[in-house]
Structures are given as structure tokens and as C-alpha cells.
Amino acid sequence: QVQLVESGGGLVQPGGSLRLSCVASGSIFSIAVMGWYRQAPGKQRELVATIIRNDGRTNYADSVKGRFNISRDNAKNTVNLQMNSLKPEDTAVYYCNVYSTLYTRAYWGQGIQVTVSS
């Protein structure tokens, strides 16, 4: 199994930056893909960004391209999301997500609130 713990959320003004981090524990070796999703009030959960654990290939939602950067540190079993030029529409609960090839399932973090407001 895999456990995920997120950190780094909070309140920021429009145009500001935040960095989210997610630490994975458990069957780390089985993780193939790491990523971040978000869910705003009244909306469905949506993909923000993903990264392939082995080769670092990334994928971003169009709404965050050029503003967000996903990275991973395999030595520390972490995946990070650097969020710049934040907008009010980025306000959501952000969830860390990994996919395990051993258990053929995804795991989710508990979620962390990001609020962009003046």
C-alpha cells in the first residue's frame, strides 16, 4: 500500500506563489505516476499535472501551463507543485495522487486547501 501526506497550502493573493509538497511512504517502488488534482466547490475533481516517476515526463492541464511546475525527488519520495501567478480560479482543494503498478490502483492524499483571494 501507499500513504500520501500533503503540505504547503494556504491563503495567497492573486499573482502570488505557493508550493505544495506530497511525501509518499509504503510501497514506493511500485509508483509509476505521481500527480496533483484539484476540486473547487461545486465542481468535479480535475487533473492539474502529472509526472512519470522514472523519466520525469510531465503533463499539465491547459489552465495551468506556464504557471505551474511539477517536479519529483525520488530520493525523498516526494512530488512537488510550484504554483506561480495564482488566480482566484485556482482556489480549490488540491489532492496528491499516485498510481501503483503493483496494486494497479491510484492512491489519494487527504487534500489541502489553496485559496487565492485579495
Side-chain angles (χ1 to χ4, degrees):
Q1 304 297 318
V2 177
Q3 296 78 42
L4 303 172
V5 178
E6 301 134 331
S7 62
L11 172 65
V12 65
Q13 293 187 342
S17 297
L18 278 177
R19 182 178 176 86
L20 304 182
S21 292
C22 174
V23 180
S25 60
S27 300
I28 307 300
F29 66 93
S30 71
I31 296 174
V33 184
M34 309 178 81
W36 291 90
Y37 289 69
R38 68 186 181 186
Q39 187 167 18
K43 295 188 176 181
Q44 290 188 334
R45 192 172 297 188
E46 63 177 5
L47 179 145
V48 177
T50 60
I51 187 166
I52 304 297
R53 187 166 180 266
N54 285 343
D55 62 17
R57 282 180 293 154
T58 59
N59 178 54
Y60 294 92
D62 288 342
S63 59
V64 306
K65 282 181 181 177
R67 300 188 298 121
F68 290 12
N69 183 66
I70 189 170
S71 62
R72 91 282 193 224
D73 184 334
N74 290 342
K76 296 181 179 179
N77 301 322
T78 61
V79 57
N80 304 303
L81 186 69
Q82 178 66 42
M83 305 184 292
N84 301 321
S85 302
L86 282 160
K87 305 175 181 180
E89 51 263 43
D90 294 317
T91 296
V93 177
Y94 283 70
Y95 295 90
C96 179
N97 171 278
V98 301
Y99 181 80
S100 166
T101 54
L102 175 64
Y103 300 106
T104 59
R105 57 159 289 185
Y107 292 86
W108 295 91
Q110 78 280 7
I112 191 164
Q113 180 70 46
V114 170
T115 302
V116 184
S117 175
S118 56

